Structure formats: C-alpha cells, structure tokens
Amino acid sequence: MSTMDTKTALLAEAETLVRTVGYAAFSYADLSERVGIRKASIHHHFPTKEALGNALIDSYLERFVGELARLSERRLDTRGKLMAYGDFFAAGLKDGQMPLCGALAADAADLPVSMQGRVARGFRLHLDWLERILRAGVTAGDVRADVKPDRAALHVLSALQGASLVAWALKDPSVIRPALREVVDTLTP
C-alpha cells in the first residue's frame, strides 16, 4: 500500500471508529488491526492520536464544505435546501454510525483542546451555512419575514443533531426527515 493509500485508509477507519465507539474508546491497536499495519506504522503517519484526530476533522470539514457548496448551487428553494441538508444527517447514520460532529461533541470532555476548537469550527460551519440559506430565504420570500436567521439556524441544527441521536439509538434514520420537516414548517409561510 502506498503512503497516501495508508494514510487515507487510516483516516477512513479512524472516522468509522469515532462514529461507532467514540474518540476516547479506540486506540492505535484497534486501528492497527483494522488497517492491517503495525502500530509503529500508524505513528509514522500520525505521531499522536491528537494529530490523527485533527487530520480526521480537517479532512471531514474539507469534504463537508464541498458538499455544502454543491447544495448551495442546486436550484432549490429554501425548504428544498434545508431538507436536502437534513439528508446529510440521515446518510451519516449509515452502518450504525453517528454523524461525526455529533460523535465528537459527545466526547468533548475527552478531546484535546486543538480538537475541541476544530469541532466548534465544524458546528460554526453548519450554523453559518444555515444562516446564509435562511437569510436568502427571507429575502426571496420563502422564509417568514419575522424569522431571525441566526436563531433559526441554531434551531435547525439542534433539531437535526437531536434527531440524529434518537435515530442512532433507534437504528432508524427515517425519524430525521419528519423532525426536520416540523422545524422547517415553522419557518416557512
């Protein structure tokens, strides 16, 4: 396996572990077993678990920024964009996994400070995108004029994070869309 392939495999397996058992619960021994390399080889790519965690979050946020940009470009009204955004959460529950930001937030007390900052940045990325979409919706008239986009963004994200946790516990991603629809209905005329 090439160096890049190994690093990519390590990040993919680390993400799976964080999303299934949590950051605090996995070790380099777990990762070594899953990828099929020695722990020393993992240390070659990521000298510390913190370095691995930071790389994982950075990689995820880079992918997510791209997904949000593609969603922003789609010819959908605000309701359509918000519902499509909610689909990210349902898709994030594949194979019994929690959405990454939610899984990391659940482990916040055990995360190094550098990772805590990245997790906060990830949530801020969600909120900023939602606020922009809602602000544009107010301007376009497909979101109620009295809606405060910053507070509504927090409401949408909180509902989705909570619904994701419930969906994960029930092993039923289908609960996410109706929960989001209820919130979106309160924002739209």
Side-chain angles (χ1 to χ4, degrees), residues 130-141:
L130 285 165
E131 188 176 341
R132 278 193 307 276
I133 294 304
L134 290 162
R135 194 170 304 286
V138 169
T139 300

Side-chain angles (χ1 to χ4, degrees), residues 17-51:
L17 286 164
V18 168
R19 292 174 61 181
T20 54
V21 300
Y23 175 80
F26 87 88
S27 68
Y28 272 21
D30 299 318
L31 200 51
S32 169
E33 184 179 312
R34 291 177 74 111
V35 178
I37 62 174
R38 295 177 302 118
K39 286 191 297 184
S41 297
I42 298 171
H43 284 283
H44 168 74
H45 296 283
F46 303 104
T48 64
K49 190 174 176 185
E50 179 178 357

Side-chain angles (χ1 to χ4, degrees), residues 56-75:
L56 170 61
I57 296 168
D58 291 345
S59 172
Y60 169 80
L61 291 179
E62 184 178 318
R63 288 190 326 262
F64 193 63
V65 165
E67 290 176 9
L68 289 177
R70 285 186 289 285
L71 178 53
S72 294
E73 303 276 324
R74 289 179 59 193
R75 292 185 181 267

Side-chain angles (χ1 to χ4, degrees), residues 110-122:
D110 296 318
L111 296 180
V113 172
S114 63
M115 288 180 64
Q116 291 174 12
R118 282 174 166 83
V119 171
R121 191 171 73 225

